[in-house]
Amino acid sequence: MTRFLFIFLFLAAATAGNGQQPVYLDDAKPLEARVQDALQRMTREEKVAMCHAQSKFTSPGCPRLGIPELHWSDGPHGVRMEINWNDWGHAGWTNDSCTAFPALTCLAATWNPELSLLYGECVGAEARYREKDVLLGPGLNIYRTPLNGRNFEYMGEDPLLAARMCVPYIKGLQANGVAASVKHFALNNQELWRGHIDVDVSERALREIYLPAFKAAAVEGGAWTFMGSYNKYRGEWVCENERLLRQILKDEWKWDGVVVSDWGAVHSTVKTAKAGLDVEMGSYTNGLTSEADGFTYDDYYLANPYLKALNDGEVPEDCLNDQAARILRLIFRTAMNRQKPYGEMTTQRHYDASRKIAAEGIVLLKNERDRRTRKPLLPLDAAKGQRILVVGENATKNLCEGGGSSELKPRRLVTPLQGIERRFGKDNVQYAKGYASGDFKYDYENIVPQNVYDSLRAEAVAAAAEADIIVFVGGLNKNWRQDCENGDRVSMDLPFCQNPLIDALVATGKPVVAVFLTGNAYTMPWLKSVPAVVQAWYMGTEGGTAIADVLSGDIAPSGKLPFSFPARLQDCAAHSFDQMAYPGDSIREIYREDILVGYRWHDTKRVPALFPFGHGLSYVRFTYDKASVAVNANDTWTIKVPVTNNGTMEASEVVQLYVGDDKCTELRPKKELKAFAKVSVKPGETAVATLSISRDDLKFWSEKDNGWKLEPGTFTLYIGSSSADIRQKLIIKLTS
């Protein structure tokens, strides 16, 4: 019997004998009328039951009234394989494979909101097909340190970029009747000690850096759920932090959705309920057998203990009614939404979308001339029949495994080696593993014997003798303490003896193209001797095809870095202070860099990044013609930038607009991203990038005034191809 038949039977039971359909079943009625109708029919016990899990990934509805349960699923890069009802084991289904979409770092690197909408639509269709009501994503925590093991799930270091890229994703996802669950709200900027670290951050940094993307998700994106994070803020667990959950998210932003806990992030009953958490998931137990002293789902903090607190008058009834109303609203938007589509799974449309997003997110970091041809080393000419040696474990490794809750079981997975073989001809491609990393569940950095590394390196060097060009495919992976949940990296260096391997490959005298699959920045001690470097992220189902598209020149690279690559770890703002700035003392952490995160630090403190925020080369040269600025009647400015393609192929450029306050009574970054536009330009033609800013974009958060403040004066508009590649400057004046 299917879930839909159960729902039908519930609806029949709910309406039998009364001769009148309840308002809450009539989706032609206004949503709030339906919510209030259902709410007044429910008992206190039924309302409490909806506030906590009934399995690992479901929470109850109200069976007596025919209101179905909610089915939650991990994301955000695809729909996770089925997990057992009462434990964390894989269910072992044969029909739960998915399309693996690129990681959100790759999506952010496209700087293309249209692709974000496509991404959300596709992943939402797969979630809908699998009968999921809530997909846990997107992730919006700011990239503060390159050691954060979960950065690959987020959208970079800049709040504006993250905001502009998350809103279309949410809208596309929810168009399928599947709720986004925006995470991890808030200040979950590291995995080390994430379960208890108390974050000390200024109100200004909170408002200017760490909250804007979440606000955009709530206000502009209309996200139907938010997930509370594990960590503390101001000495309180976030899931019982009234200031974040109720005062800011629900009251200030006037948001009507559901706050769900991260799995196991609840620590109390009364305080949690009053603070504004609505649904408790993952605490204590696997449901039927004990995970902690015999607790069951009814023993969750928001279960029987909550019912007792309500009966004893410790929590007002209004609090419960607000929670139940929000949960009902979510159910009506998802599980009881009769207008939602059926969805689709692993279709060619989704494969094509995954490939397009992956290719457009690839960032060409460096591309010097080949000493033999005097032309840029990339793109490679497939027609020449060059003998290509592909080296590196990441060329064949399944990078959808591991990493924590974002693990996926893709129905199709094209590896980089397969993509290169298909595009350049299998007979022209040879492979050598070069290095090894071990099983994804453990940290094998210091376990793989040195003689194994030496042997694999020697094999790769020997194979290079028969090659015309070497394509090294390395980077990080989803092992614990790499790009993985519940642990941070121990170093910014590449793991698994990759640096000595790259040096050995360079020493062969053959030209080397280095392709890296990571969700984080890494050091590059070999950079001067490697002529071409490509940042390729975790790219999912069609990742290998996308890499081949770019290496061959079938597609001109157009990705831009969503975060800075510091030359050394200590050049990163969070690592330029004492250990209290990162990782803290295991109890408390102080964000000493305040608002100077990422490029704001590099620019203001004059610490050049190895590769700056927004950097990304193309196979063509773009020139920016003279920009113009127009003042509009509604206190906005429109900036138009003509961009000319001087190459021989169609390509896209991201025009970035940064604003600097020339004189301010408080410290401000030298410049901040305030707008961007991606334009596709045919060879020899010119396209106009149109950008706009408003008075709000010129404001800063004043802790003295406890609000946003705008000071009259002159502001410099920096127009560039990256935060460090500024092509033009314009001045605007604000008199009041």
Side-chain angles (χ1 to χ4, degrees), residues 157-158 564 597-603 613 671-673:
E157 71 184 28
D158 184 78
S564 308
V597 176
Y599 69 89
R600 290 167 167 82
W601 173 267
H602 292 293
D603 284 354
F613 173 79
K671 59 180 182 291
E672 299 172 277
L673 183 72

Side-chain angles (χ1 to χ4, degrees), residues 283-297 299 301:
S283 299
Y284 287 135
T285 179
N286 63 15
L288 297 180
T289 60
S290 173
E291 283 183 350
D293 302 326
F295 277 85
T296 68
Y297 292 115
D299 295 301
Y301 290 108

Side-chain angles (χ1 to χ4, degrees), residues 96 241-242 279 348 702:
D96 59 347
N241 193 296
E242 184 174 1
V279 177
Q348 190 60 47
S702 171

Side-chain angles (χ1 to χ4, degrees), residues 62 250 266 416:
C62 183
K250 292 184 174 182
V266 177

Side-chain angles (χ1 to χ4, degrees), residues 270-511:
V270 174
K271 193 169 185 179
T272 296
K274 288 183 175 181
L277 190 86
D278 301 305
V279 177
E280 175 189 4
M281 298 293 289
S283 299
Y284 287 135
T285 179
N286 63 15
L288 297 180
T289 60
S290 173
E291 283 183 350
D293 302 326
F295 277 85
T296 68
Y297 292 115
D298 286 339
D299 295 301
Y300 273 32
Y301 290 108
L302 295 187
N304 284 344
Y306 187 26
L307 184 60
K308 183 178 185 303
L310 287 159
N311 291 336
D312 292 345
E314 295 182 81
V315 181
E317 197 76 17
D318 287 348
C319 182
L320 175 62
N321 285 333
D322 180 65
Q323 291 168 302
R326 290 172 181 273
I327 297 167
L328 287 167
R329 194 175 294 126
L330 175 61
I331 292 173
F332 295 156
R333 286 167 166 168
T334 58
M336 291 185 72
N337 177 2
R338 291 187 290 184
Q339 307 304 316
K340 63 191 175 189
Y342 290 109
E344 59 183 1
M345 196 83 178
T346 59
T347 62
Q348 190 60 47
R349 175 176 176 267
H350 291 182
Y351 293 151
D352 291 344
S354 181
R355 177 178 178 175
K356 181 175 177 60
I357 295 163
E360 199 160 320
I362 291 174
V363 181
L364 181 60
L365 296 178
K366 179 183 179 182
N367 191 23
E368 290 187 343
R369 294 183 181 276
D370 186 340
R371 65 178 185 277
R372 303 166 302 175
T373 65
R374 307 307 303 162
K375 294 180 179 179
L377 185 56
L378 292 176
L380 304 178
D381 190 344
K384 282 187 176 181
Q386 297 179 93
R387 295 169 298 175
I388 300 173
L389 173 64
V390 177
V391 178
E393 185 184 71
N394 275 3
T396 61
K397 190 174 180 68
N398 179 0
L399 292 171
C400 294
E401 288 185 328
S405 60
S406 65
E407 65 174 347
L408 296 173
K409 186 170 75 175
R411 184 177 180 185
R412 177 194 293 185
L413 184 64
V414 181
T415 67
L417 178 61
Q418 290 171 330
I420 292 169
E421 287 177 339
R422 293 174 185 177
R423 183 62 184 87
F424 293 93
K426 194 167 185 178
D427 292 341
N428 297 323
V429 179
Q430 185 180 2
Y431 173 68
K433 188 173 183 179
Y435 71 92
S437 65
D439 189 273
F440 70 83
K441 295 180 181 178
Y442 305 100
D443 175 20
Y444 273 75
E445 173 70 25
N446 299 313
I447 296 176
V448 176
Q450 185 61 44
N451 68 303
V452 173
Y453 288 128
D454 295 341
S455 176
L456 291 172
R457 186 186 311 136
E459 290 175 5
V461 170
E466 303 298 322
D468 297 312
I469 192 166
I470 300 170
V471 177
F472 174 74
V473 184
L476 306 177
N477 60 28
K478 301 294 185 65
N479 287 20
W480 181 60
R481 304 183 84 177
Q482 296 298 318
D483 282 329
C484 184
E485 183 178 356
N486 203 28
D488 282 353
R489 299 165 67 193
V490 296
S491 167
M492 192 180 157
D493 296 334
L494 288 171
F496 316 125
C497 288
Q498 290 180 76
N499 286 337
L501 172 59
I502 295 171
D503 289 338
L505 295 174
V506 169
T508 66
K510 303 296 175 68

Side-chain angles (χ1 to χ4, degrees), residues 74 88 136 141 150 154 183-199 227-233 236-241 244 260-267 277 281-283 405 485-486:
D74 276 316
W88 289 107
L136 306 181
N141 294 111
R150 216 164 178 181
Y154 304 141
K183 61 184 187 183
H184 302 88
F185 187 72
L187 301 168
N188 181 188
N189 303 110
Q190 67 190 58
E191 289 299 288
L192 179 63
W193 303 323
R194 68 174 182 174
H196 61 270
I197 195 73
D198 186 4
V199 176
M227 180 190 291
S229 57
Y230 287 114
N231 52 284
K232 293 181 178 180
Y233 165 62
E236 296 179 325
W237 306 103
V238 167
C239 284
E240 58 183 46
N241 193 296
L244 285 176
V260 59
S261 72
D262 206 338
W263 270 231
V266 177
H267 299 270
L277 190 86
M281 298 293 289
S283 299
S405 60
E485 183 178 356
N486 203 28

